Amino acid sequence: WLRTRRLAAVTELNFNIIGFMGAMISNMAFVFRNTFSKKGMKGMSVSGMNYYACLSMLSLLIITPFAIAVEGPNLWAAGCQKALSQIGPNFI
């Protein structure tokens, strides 16, 4: 299976090493998150779903400053204006 996957990646004309590395980093992040969440669950009375929700919220808090720094505040403002124009301000 792994051999055919590597062969498919090598023969792909639009293969992008940056995209491949991003996918591998993402896979490693998910592995570490799952490993540490299982270790954190031992001896706690928190259900799996609540623990996963807490991990997701913590991840959002950690990643948001990086997303704003990379995307830039102008792009975020333009995206908010576009969303408001398509959905409307009284959506919720």
Side-chain angles (χ1 to χ4, degrees):
W1 176 80
L2 186 59
R3 184 176 178 185
T4 58
R5 193 168 196 185
R6 277 188 271 162
L7 181 61
V10 170
T11 58
E12 178 65 33
L13 295 177
N14 295 328
F15 181 73
N16 185 351
I17 193 69
I18 296 172
F20 178 74
M21 293 305 295
M24 291 301 109
I25 290 170
S26 174
N27 287 338
M28 291 301 295
F30 279 115
V31 167
F32 284 130
R33 184 190 69 187
N34 290 337
T35 302
F36 290 128
S37 67
K38 284 183 183 179
K39 285 184 179 181
M41 289 274 300
K42 292 191 186 227
M44 298 186 85
S45 61
V46 178
S47 71
M49 189 62 74
N50 286 339
Y51 196 76
Y52 184 74
C54 290
L55 277 175
S56 296
M57 287 186 281
L58 183 62
S59 299
L60 177 69
L61 290 175
I62 292 171
I63 294 296
T64 299
F66 293 108
I68 291 172
V70 169
E71 297 292 332
N74 294 336
L75 191 60
W76 279 77
C80 287
Q81 289 300 324
K82 185 175 180 182
L84 284 175
S85 68
Q86 289 179 356
I87 297 173
N90 298 326
F91 177 69
I92 296 178

